[in-house]
Every structure is written in structure tokens, then in C-alpha cells.
Amino acid sequence: MAETIYSFKAYAHEKELAMAAQALIRAHPCLRMAAGEDGALGWKRHMGYKLASYRNNLAKAGVAEVAINTGRRSRNNPNNDHPHQNIKKARKAEVNYITNLPKDQTPATLEKMREQIMHEVEKTERNYLVIGKLMDTTYALRRQEIVGAVGAPRVRDVVDRWPALLMESQVVAEFHRINNVNLRTQFYKELDRHMPRLITLFRDKAIKTGKIAEELAKLMRIYDIQEQRDVNTRRALVLRALPVYLREDASTLFRTCDSADGPDLTDTPVALLTVVTDDTTDSALFSPESICIVVEDEILLNGPTNLADSFLLLFGYIYALDLQYPKKLELTFTFIQKVVMCLEDNKPLKGRLLTLKNDLFNE
């Protein structure tokens, strides 16, 4: 049972262990225990212990996904980290959070491939097929450097070593390597599906009173005067209004700067920086001249002028670089993860997010 559970998830949640225990006694009623109303409570606890023991054996064998959490505090190592502190595991529903190196590769051979990637990226005419194959092969090395480092590595250091991550195609490809999900296809399919209902909810909120209603009403007025309201404009409206509707500070995500002045990016974990001029400030909300993707106070990439595409790449970078959601925008990014990208981490939605999801699906 422990081996089977591990094949799905290394660190199973209590609810998942309960489901496995119930499946066990349904298949074998003679194993039903007296403890617990459903007779599965004891088996849930036993599976938890066995799964922990199984992970320990795999860690001793060198399996990267669990070996990364070895060397914790113990009687023989009293100065190490607490056994339950800073455990490195998938927290945003990543499927391939960290993996072992390919069987026929060593760190030395993969390092040569990394150098080859740098050489290919520097070429005027890049061979995107070669870059993609090399990035696929070196994925395990890259994840071990990003996830397995003592302390989170600086984003600038990561992209300096792996410059292919500054290519839009490789951001999308890296997301697929981590989640086995096509970032662009899934994002637009679900966003467009929920878009009419979301716009209706935003308009209903905008006619009410209060600060949130006023901000939404302003966005709606600017949207309504747009000469061209195509699908890209509607997507931009939804993405800009979503954090406002969830009562989060959208100004920390959508930043603007004058083209003549350098932007102040101090204390900016992630942001989409729009370059505007004095006479295009309002219209730039939906038709920007240019958008820069900012991560850790630095402009990482001059993204596409399409706001939805830029937001999509920013979301991809959060997974590719193993970043945490900004605290001031946690609800917004959690909504994108669970409702738009359908990446479920078995943590129940609460409060405003649960209300919004119920409003979406209970028309």
C-alpha cells in the first residue's frame, strides 16, 4: 500500500490516506477495525507510519524527492533542522517537483550540456529544437539546483546559469516538465470558459457601494470606452479585476512607469511592469505599449504586449523558479492555480475564494 500511494504522491495528505484506508476495507471487509466510525481510522494511521518508513528507505537509496529532506535533527545530530521544519515538498500541486538524474547521465555530463545550452542561446540563429532537447535532459540537474539548494537561490543566478529560461517557449516547456500540463492551452481554455461569468460578477459588484466597487467601476468604465473589445481585452479586464474583486492590492502586481523614467522596483517579488506615457495611462490598462516581467526587483523578460500572455509567463516563472506566491496576492494566484489551471493541492478553499468558486459554478 505504501509503495502504491508513493507512486501517486510522496507526501500524501491525511484525506488521501483516509481515502486509501476506506478503499482497503471496502475491498477486504474482514480488515475493518473497531476504532473509528468507518472502521478505517487505524489503517489510516498505520499507512501514515508505513509511508514514512518507505520514504526513509527511499531516501537511504538516494531518491532525490525524499533524500532532500534527510539529515534532520536527531539524537545524533542535535544541531540540524527540526524534522518538521522547512520540509521541501510539492506545495503548489507540482507533479515532478524534484527528480533523480537520468540513469545514463552524471552531474559532469549534464554540466557540459548546460554549457552547450548557453552556447546555443548566444547564437544569432538559435536552434530551438536542440535547446529544447538539452533542457529536457538537464531538467533534473536544474531542479536539484533550484529546489535542493541551501536557502533559495537568487533568481538572477539561476537565469545566468540557465539563460534558456529567458525564452518564452522554454518557460512554457518548463511548466510542462513540472506539472505535465500545457500552460498556454489550459490557461486560456479555462479562463475563457469562466470569463463571461466573471465579468458579470465584476459588473454586479461595481454597481454597489464601497472602495472595491469604486475600483471595479473604474475598470469597467475604461473597458467600456475601448474601441476594440476583443478576446484579449476581455482577458485583460478579468485579470486586472480579479485581485480587486478578491480585495487584494492589485497595484503591487500591475505596475506602471513613464518611459522616460526608470522604475522603482524595490520590494517587488513579482510584477507586470507596463510602460506608459502621460496621454495613454488609462488606455494602457488594456492596450499597453510594452510589458516587462519583474521577479525579485529585476526586469527578467520583456514580455509580449498582450497582458494575458505576460501574466501566463509570470505564472510559469513562479513554478519554474520555485517561487512562493506573494502574500498580498495569494488569493489571486491560488485562484489561477486551482480554478484556472486545475492544479489541486488538496487544501480546501476558504472565505472569498470559496465564495467566488461557488458563484462561478452555481449560476
Side-chain angles (χ1 to χ4, degrees):
M1 286 290 293
E3 183 178 1
T4 302
I5 293 171
Y6 181 87
S7 68
F8 290 95
K9 197 172 186 180
Y11 295 89
H13 193 268
E14 282 190 8
K15 290 184 178 179
E16 294 167 328
L17 290 176
M19 291 171 59
Q22 291 168 3
L24 176 65
I25 62 174
R26 279 198 302 268
H28 305 282
C30 61
L31 297 179
R32 182 180 297 274
M33 292 184 170
E37 294 181 0
D38 56 2
L41 178 61
W43 284 114
K44 186 185 78 169
R45 292 173 179 171
H46 283 309
M47 287 178 188
Y49 298 145
K50 287 296 183 181
L51 188 58
S53 177
Y54 185 74
R55 286 196 301 264
N56 188 43
N57 292 334
L58 291 179
K60 291 178 180 178
V63 176
E65 189 173 17
V66 288
I68 195 174
N69 292 316
T70 57
R72 318 298 291 185
R73 185 187 303 173
S74 64
R75 185 176 300 174
N76 297 327
N77 299 289
N79 298 322
N80 290 359
D81 291 337
H82 191 277
H84 301 293
Q85 182 180 1
N86 298 324
I87 295 294
K88 294 186 176 182
K89 60 180 180 179
R91 302 185 188 278
K92 301 188 295 294
E94 298 95 336
V95 176
N96 301 311
Y97 182 61
I98 183 170
T99 61
N100 282 1
L101 302 183
K103 292 182 180 179
D104 56 342
Q105 301 293 341
T106 65
T109 59
L110 293 177
E111 179 64 19
K112 291 181 180 179
M113 292 184 184
R114 186 193 67 80
E115 294 174 356
Q116 187 178 351
I117 292 172
M118 296 186 67
H119 179 68
E120 288 290 337
V121 171
E122 291 172 355
K123 291 181 178 180
T124 304
E125 296 183 1
R126 298 172 176 172
N127 190 326
Y128 293 98
L129 183 60
V130 171
I131 292 174
K133 289 182 178 179
L134 291 172
M135 288 290 284
D136 284 340
T137 306
T138 56
Y139 170 73
L141 176 65
R142 187 163 55 257
R143 289 300 286 181
Q144 290 186 17
E145 290 180 0
I146 294 173
V147 178
V150 179
R154 291 177 62 248
V155 169
R156 175 50 57 185
D157 294 337
V158 174
V159 296
D160 284 345
R161 278 184 56 80
W162 303 95
L165 290 177
L166 296 176
M167 299 164 51
E168 295 179 18
S169 60
Q170 284 306 309
V171 176
V172 175
E174 192 78 350
F175 188 89
H176 190 273
R177 297 180 190 109
I178 296 171
N179 295 294
N180 292 337
V181 173
N182 187 298
L183 174 60
R184 199 179 300 275
T185 301
Q186 179 68 22
F187 182 82
Y188 284 131
K189 182 185 74 172
E190 292 299 312
L191 183 65
D192 292 348
R193 182 166 77 94
H194 296 303
M195 192 160 52
R197 179 61 178 163
L198 283 170
I199 293 178
T200 300
L201 292 173
F202 298 155
R203 287 193 182 277
D204 291 343
K205 182 69 175 179
I207 62 177
K208 299 180 180 179
T209 58
K211 184 178 178 181
I212 302 301
E214 291 177 1
E215 293 184 34
L216 287 173
K218 180 182 177 181
L219 285 172
M220 290 300 173
R221 285 195 299 270
I222 298 172
Y223 169 75
D224 289 337
I225 64 174
Q226 297 296 307
E227 295 181 359
Q228 184 177 3
R229 283 182 281 176
D230 57 8
V231 65
N232 291 324
T233 309
R234 293 194 296 274
R235 289 169 177 169
L237 171 65
V238 168
L239 293 173
R240 282 192 171 273
L242 179 62
V244 178
Y245 188 85
L246 293 172
R247 286 179 274 174
E248 293 187 314
D249 187 2
S251 64
T252 61
L253 176 61
F254 301 108
R255 302 281 298 275
T256 59
C257 76
D258 189 285
S259 56
D261 300 326
D264 181 12
L265 301 177
T266 306
D267 298 327
T268 306
V270 295
L272 297 176
L273 180 67
T274 302
V275 178
V276 300
T277 57
D278 293 337
D279 58 339
T280 63
T281 303
D282 288 344
S283 62
L285 290 175
F286 303 107
S287 302
E289 296 179 7
S290 64
I291 301 177
C292 300
I293 297 175
V294 178
V295 179
E296 289 188 356
D297 305 343
E298 291 190 24
I299 296 177
L300 206 61
L301 181 68
N302 290 321
T305 57
N306 183 311
L307 180 66
D309 277 345
S310 296
F311 189 98
L312 176 149
L313 291 174
L314 178 62
F315 189 77
Y317 271 122
I318 288 176
Y319 276 80
L321 301 173
D322 193 36
L323 304 176
Q324 298 300 316
Y325 296 148
K327 291 184 179 179
K328 294 182 179 180
L329 293 161
E330 191 168 356
L331 295 181
T332 299
F333 282 100
T334 302
F335 178 86
I336 298 297
Q337 173 198 319
K338 294 190 175 185
V339 179
V340 177
M341 296 305 301
C342 301
L343 297 173
E344 183 56 57
D345 57 5
N346 294 307
K347 294 179 181 179
L349 294 177
K350 298 179 181 179
R352 282 165 273 173
L353 275 180
L354 181 59
T355 301
L356 176 55
K357 183 178 180 180
N358 289 339
D359 290 340
L360 275 180
F361 290 95
N362 299 326
E363 299 186 32

